[in-house]
Every structure is written in C-alpha cells, then in structure tokens.
Amino acid sequence: MISCNDLRPGMGFKYDGNIFTVLDTWHNKTAMRQMVIKIKAKNLRTGSITDISMTGGDKVETIHLEKREMQYLYDDGMGLVFMDTENYEQVSINKDRLKWEMNFLKENGTAEITYYEGEILGIALPSKVTLRIVETEPAVRGDTAKTATKDATLETGFVIRVPLFVGQDEEVIVRTDTGEYDSRA
C-alpha cells in the first residue's frame, strides 16, 4: 500500500477491484481544503481511460506487472497463439482483444505480453514493424494534384497509404501506433 500522493506515470495500482496504470497525475492544494489528487489512469482489463479523484493521503495497493517477450506463431481460428521464447510455453489470446494488433502481426514476429497474477492483460508491439506489400496500384505519372500517395495492401491485409515510388513486393516500415507508412525497409 502506498499513498496516492506518491503515484507517478507508469505505475500500476489496484482501485475499486480494478487494476490501472497511471498516465498522469495532478495535485491541487488550496488554503481552505485538503489536497485533491486527480489521476488519469488506464484500466488494464478494459482499456478505458478514466479520471480518478482522491483525497491526499488515501492509500492504494500497488501491483507488479510481469512482461514477457513472446513470438507470434499462428492463428488458431479463435485466437492468436504466442510462444514464450525462454521456456517455450504457448498461450492463446482471443482475437477480439487484438483487433488493432492483428494488422501488424506476422508469423514469427515478436510482441511483449503483459501479465498480472497469471492473467493476460494485453500485448505491446514494437514501435515499428517491417511488412511486405502484396498489392498496390501502379503510379500514374503527373498525379500530384494532392499528396503523391496511393493505397497499398500489406501481407496482413491492412491497407496503408504509401508514396508513388513504392511498388508491389517491396518491404516497408510501418508505425504500429498510427498504422502509417514510415519508410522503405
């Protein structure tokens, strides 16, 4: 148990039966009343972001999140199967929880799986991944009235906008946070 005054961004804590990670904190102390601590926190089970207000000195239980580097193996129909690269243990994560991440996962790719007391909370992808373009339209000469980009379908099925000079079967680097083209590989 620690005082809510000591919470800092990145710390995990338990509050009202839910587990959160701190995104930001604000301390408000006026002369006429007790300190109020406002915490912007992310619920690690649902992914929702909430604002929590506490009185200075309130206690919260800290939690320890375990993070493991795992390799994506395959899609088993219901979920995605990952393997721990240290002990070769395999886990399956439901596809519904990984809709965005599926756009950037290819077989043998790596991801960081976050656990809390054996419960899988989510995955964190590398900030950028290299993917191959399987389909793109040919560049049209002189088509630069607006930004000179075109649609390209990646090997995962995700569609991004790429510059006109990027062609089919080329590998590109894609940002996993925004899903945007970064550069050629």
Side-chain angles (χ1 to χ4, degrees), residues 22-184:
V22 178
L23 300 176
D24 205 357
T25 60
W26 296 273
H27 296 243
N28 186 5
K29 172 73 174 119
T30 60
M32 298 299 288
R33 50 188 276 218
Q34 218 174 359
M35 180 185 290
V36 175
I37 290 128
K38 294 189 179 198
I39 303 163
K40 185 175 187 177
K42 180 178 182 180
N43 186 323
L44 294 174
R45 288 192 175 112
T46 64
S48 64
I49 295 175
T50 58
D51 291 324
I52 301 169
S53 292
M54 296 183 183
T55 304
D58 285 352
K59 302 279 186 193
V60 293
E61 183 181 341
T62 58
I63 60 171
H64 175 69
L65 298 175
E66 182 182 348
K67 296 183 179 187
R68 293 188 206 159
E69 188 76 23
M70 293 196 161
Q71 181 179 19
Y72 170 58
L73 296 179
Y74 59 91
D75 181 346
D76 69 1
M78 295 294 291
L80 304 179
V81 179
F82 293 86
M83 178 184 68
D84 191 329
T85 54
E86 292 178 13
N87 61 12
Y88 304 108
E89 174 188 331
Q90 293 185 8
V91 295
S92 179
I93 303 175
N94 193 338
K95 283 183 176 181
D96 294 337
R97 295 179 62 187
L98 303 175
K99 286 186 170 131
W100 177 254
E101 291 85 351
M102 287 172 46
N103 294 322
F104 309 103
L105 281 172
K106 64 179 183 178
E107 290 184 6
N108 301 322
T110 60
E112 189 176 67
I113 310 290
T114 305
Y115 287 89
Y116 173 66
E117 294 180 353
E119 175 188 0
I120 297 173
L121 297 175
I123 72 170
L125 296 172
S127 60
K128 297 176 183 177
V129 293
T130 302
L131 297 169
R132 188 174 55 82
I133 295 176
V134 294
E135 182 183 337
T136 187
E137 56 201 41
V140 178
R141 187 175 177 96
D143 185 19
T144 57
K146 55 183 191 285
T147 308
T149 60
K150 60 183 178 178
D151 287 336
T153 306
L154 302 173
E155 60 188 299
T156 61
F158 190 60
V159 178
I160 63 171
R161 301 286 295 173
V162 297
L164 294 176
F165 59 82
V166 177
Q168 190 166 322
D169 294 323
E170 285 190 52
E171 289 196 338
V172 293
I173 297 173
V174 181
R175 295 174 46 105
T176 58
D177 58 347
T178 61
E180 295 175 349
Y181 167 85
D182 189 67
S183 65
R184 281 183 170 171

